[in-house]
Amino acid sequence: MDALHPRLLVTRFAECFTFYAAVLPGLIGADLIKGTPEGPYANWDVDDQAALTLFDRATMAQVAGTASLPSQSTPAQDAVMFVCRVEDVDTAHTLCLRHGATSVAAPADRPDWGPGLRTAHLRDPDGTLIELQSY
């Protein structure tokens, strides 16, 4: 049973699918279980537990009755972040950049956040904030 897992509602499904299909196996050992670049749904598991799902935002908006609302708000601070614990932040950062992520904050030690913590922050093709971390 999948107790909790992130489901990203994305507007650029094919680009996000291609990005996560390329990086999740190397980042967290996730396997694609279901989905294609055509959407509207895809999911990756680690050890038979959901790790990430993607869902087309317009499809969900139809179900939720919000299709008439804008899909983007004015610039604002992030409300959600996808966090991946990885063995090597620098290598994971390079992998994500190679597959279309945009760097927000380069790999850096963050002793004030926790002992031995190293992080990097990026955005996926749809703009979702990603934190890569090791400790």
Side-chain angles (χ1 to χ4, degrees):
M1 177 179 85
D2 299 324
L4 298 171
H5 62 275
R7 177 171 295 170
L8 303 180
L9 303 177
V10 299
T11 55
R12 298 165 62 185
F13 190 92
E15 290 173 71
C16 287
F17 177 91
T18 301
F19 172 75
Y20 285 110
V23 302
L24 285 176
L27 291 179
I28 60 173
D31 296 313
L32 176 65
I33 302 302
K34 180 180 179 182
T36 66
E38 291 75 35
Y41 176 87
N43 74 282
W44 289 264
D45 285 8
V46 174
D47 298 329
D48 295 322
Q49 293 292 310
L52 177 69
T53 61
L54 298 180
F55 198 71
D56 178 69
R57 184 179 293 178
T59 302
M60 190 70 242
Q62 290 293 327
V63 172
T66 59
S68 64
L69 298 175
S71 64
Q72 299 285 326
S73 61
T74 58
Q77 295 177 356
D78 295 285
V80 66
M81 178 170 63
F82 180 53
V83 179
C84 296
R85 185 171 178 190
V86 298
E87 286 192 35
D88 184 316
V89 169
D90 298 76
T91 300
H93 184 258
T94 300
L95 174 68
C96 290
L97 291 175
R98 191 169 55 239
H99 290 284
T102 303
S103 185
V104 173
D109 294 329
R110 305 232 182 250
D112 51 325
W113 291 9
L117 183 64
R118 184 167 179 79
T119 68
H121 294 86
L122 309 105
R123 292 197 183 280
D124 75 9
D126 208 51
T128 301
L129 185 61
I130 299 170
E131 178 177 279
L132 305 172
Q133 62 171 237
S134 65
Y135 51 92

